[in-house]
């Protein structure tokens, strides 16, 4: 591992810890959005069980989106990004570190809390495991795709809403296969196809998104 | 090519060169040679400029900031970029670092464009911009240590705290940066310079802003020391400072756009 990768990862995790109130906001948002649905669609247990995985996924997606603008904006304002671009190491190294830190501080907590929400929707324990596993594979993809959008909208007015418009359509496949995996498992089709597709998506995003974000950052900083 | 009298000694460039050369990567081009010409007491000194700018132009929106700007910087030189506000000093410095791409012309480091030589150029470059590059939630020590590590320098915490103590932030090592004053934030940048003496080229944007008299004098001394040791410093400043050595000036205003819309 390179020096810059470790330095950026450590610093971003330390910063996430120092500003943990911000992270709690995204996490509470996740819980609140997921809890709203029963009020809207009624409290029929079968219906709730059916929509549960989808609701948790959509809430996770929105919560990720809420935290995305913070990935680069603070460092952009303070001039740290300029310094990072002038590092000896190629930008893709530290961009990867920033994405990793972002996922660890926002995506992973969502995965950890999701079983609680699934329980609220009356999902069976085994379905809860499937949902958490799908989120574990899917949320890194959301962070990776989101990083490209966050880099492209850096420093723009109304960056947050523009970011949502840019990246939400790209996140639809993740949502389809993520939420679909629980249904597929419950209907006896088996998980394999869904998880393999998501795994493939994760590797593709891992290979491409850091390069795309680094290129986008170079353009926005020019 | 310039002629020099050995009696009066070589100028600071020549004196500085061995040090500069030692500090470079051994595979880099040797940029200075001296040889005695036959039958004369003269020596010829050939200098290959380390940093060259050719025919640089910069547009901001549809306004031409400057064009046909050329400059060549040799080891041991101190350059002040002068010009009124808004004339494009910061834009020029960003072009020199490679943070921005020129609309025309190119910047060369050791005869290759800085895009080709990205890694070795960035290894030899220290850029301190307008923004302090400090995070408010981290302590000065954490900020400085991160700045060194992210740039690729192996500097340990002890060296960082020694540098901060030397520039007068010994009491503030463990305080969050947000409680520091503007001048104290600038001093963290000064500490970064103390830890980056192995980097040949320093590009400093308004380094004297917000510094008190003592700190400004110390900064001038650090800059002059770096140049005397064979480094190069390019900076913008509106203040006059005593470096105790000649400072060359480039007035960006002279290259001002003739066709500003």
């Amino acid at each position: 591992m390179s020096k810059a990768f470790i330095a950026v990862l450590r610093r971003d995790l330390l910063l996430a810890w120092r500003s943990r109130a911000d992270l709690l906001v995204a996490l509470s948002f996740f819980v609140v959005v997921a809890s709203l649905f029963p009020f809207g669609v009624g409290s029929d247990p079968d219906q709730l069980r059916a929509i549960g995985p989808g609701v948790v996924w959509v809430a996770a997606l929105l919560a990720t989106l809420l935290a995305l603008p913070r990935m680069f904006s603070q460092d952009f304002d303070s001039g740290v990004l300029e310094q990072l671009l002038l590092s000896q190491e190629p930008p893709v190294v530290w961009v990867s570190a920033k994405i990793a830190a972002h996922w660890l501080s926002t995506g992973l907590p969502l995965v950890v809390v999701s079983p609680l929400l699934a329980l609220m929707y009356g999902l069976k324990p085994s379905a809860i495991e499937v949902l958490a596993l799908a989120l574990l594979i899917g949320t890194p993809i959301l962070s990776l795709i989101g990083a490209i959008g966050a880099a492209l909208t850096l420093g723009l007015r109304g960056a947050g809403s523009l970011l949502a418009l840019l990246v939400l359509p790209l996140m639809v496949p993740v949502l389809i296969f993520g939420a679909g995996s629980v249904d597929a498992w419950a209907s006896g089709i088996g998980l394999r196809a869904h998880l393999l597709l998501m795994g493939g998506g994760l590797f593709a995003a891992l290979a491409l998104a850091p390069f795309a974000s680094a290129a986008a950052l170079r353009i926005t900083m020019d | 090519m310039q002629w020099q009298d050995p009696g009066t000694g070589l100028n600071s460039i020549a004196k500085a060169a061995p040090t500069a050369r030692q500090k470079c990567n051994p595979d880099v081009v040797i940029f200075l040679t001296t040889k005695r010409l036959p039958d004369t007491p003269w020596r010829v000194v050939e200098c290959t400029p380390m940093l060259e700018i050719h025919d640089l132009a910069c547009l901001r929106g549809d306004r031409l900031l400057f064009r046909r700007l050329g400059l060549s910087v040799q080891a041991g030189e101190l350059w002040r970029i002068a010009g009124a506000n808004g004339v494009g000093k910061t834009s020029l410095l960003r072009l020199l670092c490679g943070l921005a791409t020129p609309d025309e012309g190119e910047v060369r480091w050791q005869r290759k464009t800085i895009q080709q030589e990205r890694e070795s150029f960035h290894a030899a470059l220290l850029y301190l911009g307008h923004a302090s590059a400090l995070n408010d939630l981290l302590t000065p020590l954490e900020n400085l240590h991160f700045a060194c590590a992210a740039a690729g320098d192996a500097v340990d915490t002890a060296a960082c705290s020694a540098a901060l103590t030397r520039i007068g932030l010994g009491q503030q090592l463990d305080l969050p940066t947000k409680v520091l004053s503007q001048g104290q934030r600038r001093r963290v940048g000064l500490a970064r310079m103390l830890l980056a003496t192995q980097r040949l080229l320093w590009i400093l944007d308004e380094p004297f802003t917000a510094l008190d008299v003592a700190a400004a004098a110390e900064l001038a001394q650090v800059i002059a020391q770096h140049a005397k040791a064979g480094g190069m410093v390019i900076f913008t400043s509106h203040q006059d400072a005593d470096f105790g050595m000649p400072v060359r000036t480039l007035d960006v205003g002279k290259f001002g756009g003739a066709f500003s819309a």
Side-chain angles (χ1 to χ4, degrees), chain B residues 88-111:
Chain B
K89 297 189 292 293
T90 298
S91 300
L92 175 62
L93 293 191
R94 286 176 57 90
L95 286 173
L96 288 186
C97 301
L99 278 171
T101 9
D103 293 290
E104 207 174 85
E106 58 185 19
V107 181
R108 290 193 208 145
W109 174 250
Q110 294 177 347
R111 299 200 156 164

Side-chain angles (χ1 to χ4, degrees), chain B residues 88-218:
Chain B
K89 297 189 292 293
T90 298
S91 300
L92 175 62
L93 293 191
R94 286 176 57 90
L95 286 173
L96 288 186
C97 301
L99 278 171
T101 9
D103 293 290
E104 207 174 85
E106 58 185 19
V107 181
R108 290 193 208 145
W109 174 250
Q110 294 177 347
R111 299 200 156 164
K112 295 201 178 120
T113 65
I114 54 173
Q115 282 77 22
Q116 289 169 336
E117 284 288 295
R118 199 200 89 96
E119 212 159 298
S120 70
F121 177 59
H122 284 180
L125 170 73
L126 172 75
Y127 170 70
L128 295 182
H130 245 323
S132 57
L134 303 174
N135 189 292
D136 279 351
L137 294 173
L138 299 177
T139 65
L141 187 59
E142 285 162 342
N143 270 313
L144 183 60
H145 192 237
F146 168 74
C148 294
D153 292 350
V155 176
D156 58 3
T157 320
C160 289
S161 61
L164 286 169
T165 312
R166 187 184 146 189
I167 47 109
L169 287 176
Q171 305 293 313
Q172 285 82 13
L173 287 182
D174 294 326
L175 292 176
T177 305
K178 64 180 164 203
V179 303
L180 297 192
S181 75
Q182 204 57 38
Q184 284 173 322
R185 285 161 168 268
R186 280 275 163 190
R187 282 175 187 237
V188 182
L190 187 55
R192 174 84 186 94
M193 284 182 224
L194 293 177
L195 294 174
T197 43
Q198 82 287 0
R199 291 176 175 252
L200 277 180
L201 175 64
W202 288 3
I203 295 183
L204 315 170
D205 197 356
E206 298 286 352
F208 291 99
T209 314
L211 287 180
D212 60 29
V213 179
E218 167 130 31

